[in-house]
Amino acid sequence: MDPDVLNMFVIAGGTLAIPILAFVASFLLWPSALIRIYYWYWRRALGMQVRYASYDDYQFCYSYRGRPGYRPSILMLHGFSAHKDMWLSIVKFLPKNLHLVCVDMPGHEGTTRSALDDYSISGQAKRIHQFVECIKLNRRPFHLVGTSMGGNVAGVYAAQYPEDICSLTLICPAGLPSTTDSKFIKQLRELQESDSIDRIPLIPSTPEEMADMLKLCSYVRFKVPQQILQGLVDVRIPHNDFYRKLFLEIVDEKSRHSLHENMSKIKAPTQVIWGKQDQVLDVSGASVLASAIPDCHVYILENCGHSVVVERPRKTANLILEFLALLHSTDNNKKQA
């Protein structure tokens, strides 16, 4: 073979080998770094831009896509110990001309974490209102979406700041009493009885505990490689002390049933989406909301657990779009009447 041709193949092979080796090394040695790169790439591919907003000395981190238009903007509030990027799976199925905003909840990811902050549900709702005013999102009423803890905050927000929102989507929201104990609630009771409350199932510190948490939160069984489980744990461990403090705050009497205590004040049209096989928060909470909120539309998803956003992203995105279209059609009919 011609030496020049051989050299060309060697150079090409070396060029290809470097990124492959880098990927393998990251996967084996630094899986947490790979996870961060993954979210960065996904945000970039979907056109989501990260920005910061300040309220006095408090900083909010958020991502957004699009600009305010004739359709309501959408603000998304994530759940306990998650971050703004959890919504990317749904963003993928939403039109690019919709104005979307995903914010890191108080103390999470890029948003300020302070030992002096009020992490109760009403305290978080107040902080989110400050964020909304910072970016002037409430120049026009917007659609608010929240899941789990974020659903609790979203419901309380809708009750406390009704002029800010035009409609509401609650996905498996916390903050409701239940006639049926979920698997998670039973586990918590067992831990309390054995004085092992530090071992909260939603705060894993080993790959095995992370796998158990994923099984608890989802009906769909995802096959997650051990290295990825390790990476997910590595990302969370530095924040676990905060998560424990936050968890105790939101299950305290002050916050435990915040949504239930405020739901009679919710006047905006409300959509409730719940996984039928939710093992964290029992699906019976959907009927509690339906009986208390006048204009409430309930959708129960079969073969779906608590992680609705991850398990059924396309279906969830479509339900939100259909709900907004229904409200728009209703408004037009009222104007024409």
Side-chain angles (χ1 to χ4, degrees), residues 17-68:
I18 289 171
I20 292 171
L21 288 172
F23 175 83
V24 172
S26 296
F27 183 76
L28 295 176
L29 302 176
W30 307 290
S32 59
L34 197 62
I35 290 168
R36 291 189 178 95
I37 293 170
Y38 168 76
Y39 281 124
W40 172 84
Y41 175 79
W42 204 6
R43 282 198 305 268
R44 190 176 180 86
L46 294 175
M48 297 293 287
Q49 300 184 55
V50 175
R51 294 289 184 272
Y52 294 88
S54 295
Y55 184 91
D56 293 335
D57 59 348
Y58 196 90
Q59 177 180 266
F60 296 95
C61 180
Y62 67 101
S63 60
Y64 79 96
R65 187 175 76 182
R67 295 181 178 180

Side-chain angles (χ1 to χ4, degrees), residues 27 31 34-35 210 224-233:
F27 183 76
L34 197 62
I35 290 168
M210 174 59 72
V224 184
Q226 183 74 9
Q227 286 300 121
I228 296 299
L229 290 172
Q230 183 65 60
L232 292 170
V233 170

Side-chain angles (χ1 to χ4, degrees), residues 16 27 37 43 85 95-96 103 106 150 152 154 165 167 171 227 256 268 294:
L16 288 172
F27 183 76
I37 293 170
R43 282 198 305 268
D85 292 332
K96 290 189 176 180
V103 63
N152 194 353
I165 72 166
S167 46
I171 304 172
Q227 286 300 121
R256 189 180 306 160

